[in-house]
Amino acid sequence: MTFKEQLANDLENIMNADEVSEEVTYSPRNGSESSTIKAIFNDRAESNLAFTDGEAVTPTAVILKSSLAAAPKHNDSITDSDNRVWIVKGITGESFSSWTLSLIGDVRIK
């Protein structure tokens, strides 16, 4: 196994560990069938934030390339384990085995 393959394997093991990732539903904007995948969220709002006219919360999420048939697109959506819907703004990072997605949601900061 090459070093690159070992890193990809390690990332997959981390993603499958529920301590750092969660199961989400990924829905393409084109209406294709949704997929249940693992994601790691960064800088996500606390669930007790109110829906106000404040600034939108814009977290990032890391997903494995192997979990989707095609690259994520602008306006695809991710529904997290709290049933909050996050819209994909775009891919902000990419490695040989994962994408980092910029997201935007309805949760507003007071």
Side-chain angles (χ1 to χ4, degrees):
M1 181 179 289
T2 68
F3 180 68
K4 193 175 191 180
E5 291 169 334
Q6 182 63 47
L7 286 176
N9 188 48
D10 289 347
L11 180 58
E12 189 169 334
N13 289 333
I14 290 169
M15 293 294 281
N16 288 326
D18 291 334
E19 291 85 20
V20 295
S21 67
E22 65 182 83
E23 217 167 65
V24 301
T25 302
Y26 192 93
S27 303
R29 68 175 179 209
N30 65 6
S32 297
E33 191 171 323
S34 297
S35 304
T36 301
I37 64 171
K38 292 281 194 162
I40 299 173
F41 284 92
N42 299 310
D43 301 322
R44 189 168 48 171
E46 295 297 322
S47 60
N48 63 354
L49 288 178
F51 287 78
T52 68
D53 291 330
E55 293 184 32
V57 175
T58 55
T60 59
V62 176
I63 62 172
L64 292 173
K65 287 182 175 180
S66 62
S67 63
L68 296 176
K73 303 277 188 241
H74 178 71
N75 285 335
D76 288 355
S77 65
I78 294 176
T79 304
D80 68 16
S81 59
D82 293 325
N83 287 321
R84 289 184 288 190
V85 178
W86 302 93
I87 304 301
V88 176
K89 289 175 33 180
I91 297 172
T92 58
E94 181 176 8
S95 73
F96 55 89
S97 61
S98 67
W99 288 297
T100 301
L101 308 177
S102 176
L103 308 172
I104 190 163
D106 289 336
V107 175
R108 305 285 187 230
I109 299 171
K110 290 182 179 182

